[in-house]
Amino acid sequence: MSEFILIGFSNFPQHLLPTFFLLYLLMYLFTLLGNLLIMATIWREHSLHTPMYLFLCALSISEILFTVAVTPRMLVDMLSVHCSISFVAYASQKFFSFTFGFTHSFLLMSMGYDHYVAICHPLRYNGLMRPGGCAHLVSWSWADGSVMGMMLTLIVFHLTFCGSNEIHHFACHVLALLKLACGNETSSVTMGVILVCVTALMGCLFHIILSYVFILAAILRITSAEGRHKAFSTCVSHLTIVIVHYGFASIIYLKPKGPHPMDSNTLMATTYTVFTPFLSPIIFSLRNKELKNAIKRNFHRKFSPLSS
C-alpha cells in the first residue's frame, strides 16, 4: 500500500471547518511563540539557570517539535478536498509523534523528581541535582522517547495493510491505522502496542504520583503557613500540566466504547492534540511567579531600553 486516504474530516460538519481551522491555527501559533518565549527567557536570565528551568526548557522544545510534526499537516487536511499521505510520510509522522509524546511524559517525570528532591531533601538538592546529573536526565528522557518512537513505529509499520486504504481519523491516530492491518498477527500486535504505550505512560504517572505523595507529606510537616504555601507554589505549574496531560488523554483514549459519532471522536482527538500543548506555556508563565517576572523584565528591557 503506497498511500493512505485520510477521511477523518469528511464527515465533520463542513460549515464548522473554517472556524475550527482558524481556532487551531491561532493555538498552533501561540504554542510556538509561547514556548519560544519561555526558552528565550530562560536562556537570557542567569537566575533561571537552575535544574527546574532546564527541565522546563527541554519540555518546551519537545512541545514545539511535537506540534510542528503533527499540527501543520492536520491544518492542511482540514481544508483539503482529497487528503492523502504516502506510506513513508505517515510512518515518519508516527515516529515523531511517538518520540516527542513519550519524551514529554519522561520529562514530566523528571520534573516531578526534581520537585521531590527540592522539597523533601533541600539540604542535599545541590548535590543530587548537579548540572551534569540534570543534563543526563534530560538526555535519557530524549533517548528513551526516541527508542520508544522507533520501536513502536517499526512494530506498527511491519504489519501488512490490505483492503481499504481509508483511515477514518486524522493522521496522528495509530489505532485507526491498525484497523487497516490484516493477517494473523494483527490482533496481537495491536494489543502489544496498546500495552507498551499504557505501561510506559502509566509508569511515568505512577512515579509522578509517588513523588507528590512524599512532597505532600513533607509540606504538611512544615509548621508555618507561609512555608507550606511557598513549597506548594513551586509545584502548582507542574502538577497542573500533569493533570491536563493525563486527564485529556484519559478522556480521549479510555472513554467507554459506544455509539460515538465519527466527527465527535475526530474533534476530541484533534482538540487534545492542539489544545494541551497550547495550555502549557500559559500555565507555566502565569503560575510560575519567578518566570513571569523574568518575562516582564525582558519585555521591559526590550521595549523600554532608555528607562532602565
Side-chain angles (χ1 to χ4, degrees):
M1 190 175 293
S2 60
E3 69 172 16
F4 298 102
I5 306 299
L6 307 174
I7 60 173
F9 296 109
S10 61
N11 295 323
F12 197 86
Q14 297 301 303
H15 66 282
L16 294 179
L17 278 178
T19 301
F20 279 100
F21 171 83
L22 181 60
L23 177 62
Y24 292 157
L25 176 62
L26 292 176
M27 286 195 291
Y28 167 67
L29 295 176
F30 183 88
T31 300
L32 297 182
L33 294 176
N35 282 297
L36 287 173
L37 177 62
I38 289 175
M39 292 166 56
T41 302
I42 294 173
W43 177 266
R44 293 190 61 181
E45 290 289 326
H46 292 287
S47 62
L48 301 183
H49 291 180
T50 62
M52 180 176 70
Y53 292 104
L54 170 65
F55 292 127
L56 178 55
C57 189
L59 191 72
S60 293
I61 294 173
S62 72
E63 290 190 336
I64 288 176
L65 294 176
F66 176 82
T67 303
V68 170
V70 175
T71 307
R73 172 75 203 203
M74 186 186 73
L75 292 173
V76 172
D77 290 342
M78 289 183 73
L79 298 183
S80 299
V81 177
H82 180 77
C83 304
S84 63
I85 184 171
S86 68
F87 186 91
V88 174
Y90 198 102
S92 299
Q93 187 185 65
K94 286 313 307 172
F95 166 72
F96 289 121
S97 62
F98 276 136
T99 297
F100 303 137
F102 280 109
T103 299
H104 187 273
S105 295
F106 293 141
L107 287 172
L108 287 176
M109 182 176 65
S110 299
M111 293 176 75
Y113 175 73
D114 175 68
H115 289 311
Y116 160 76
V117 175
I119 294 175
C120 298
H121 304 284
L123 298 180
R124 301 173 58 196
Y125 182 81
N126 290 332
L128 292 174
M129 302 302 293
R130 293 189 297 269
C134 295
H136 278 101
L137 280 176
V138 172
S139 300
W140 276 112
S141 297
W142 280 97
D144 290 345
S146 300
V147 169
M148 291 290 293
M150 180 61 70
M151 179 181 66
L152 290 172
T153 302
L154 290 175
I155 291 173
V156 170
F157 287 90
H158 178 72
L159 293 171
T160 300
F161 298 94
C162 54
S164 174
N165 65 342
E166 294 182 347
I167 297 178
H168 293 266
H169 221 287
F170 75 101
C172 190
H173 205 272
V174 68
L175 295 181
L177 172 66
L178 289 172
K179 292 179 180 179
L180 304 183
C182 55
N184 297 329
E185 60 181 4
T186 301
S187 59
S188 59
V189 169
T190 301
M191 290 303 300
V193 169
I194 294 174
L195 183 62
V196 169
C197 292
V198 170
T199 301
L201 296 177
M202 290 300 103
C204 292
L205 180 60
F206 172 78
H207 282 89
I208 293 171
I209 292 175
L210 188 63
S211 297
Y212 275 101
V213 168
F214 288 109
I215 288 172
L216 181 61
I219 290 176
L220 292 177
R221 289 196 296 267
I222 299 176
T223 55
S224 67
E226 182 181 357
R228 288 195 298 269
H229 179 267
K230 183 177 180 181
F232 183 73
S233 63
T234 61
C235 304
V236 170
S237 299
H238 174 256
L239 188 58
T240 305
I241 290 297
V242 170
I243 293 173
V244 169
H245 180 68
Y246 282 95
F248 273 85
S250 300
I251 294 173
I252 299 300
Y253 296 105
L254 301 180
K255 65 180 182 297
K257 299 295 182 181
H260 302 285
M262 185 65 66
D263 58 341
S264 174
N265 291 335
T266 302
L267 176 61
M268 292 177 65
T270 52
T271 301
Y272 166 74
T273 302
V274 180
F275 190 61
T276 48
F278 164 78
L279 285 178
S280 185
I282 296 177
I283 292 171
F284 277 113
S285 59
L286 292 181
R287 298 298 304 176
N288 189 305
K289 186 177 180 180
E290 190 176 18
L291 178 62
K292 181 167 62 175
N293 291 336
I295 292 174
K296 289 180 179 179
R297 287 197 300 272
N298 275 323
F299 268 101
H300 181 75
R301 286 197 295 262
K302 182 70 174 179
F303 296 106
S304 303
L306 295 180
S307 60
S308 57

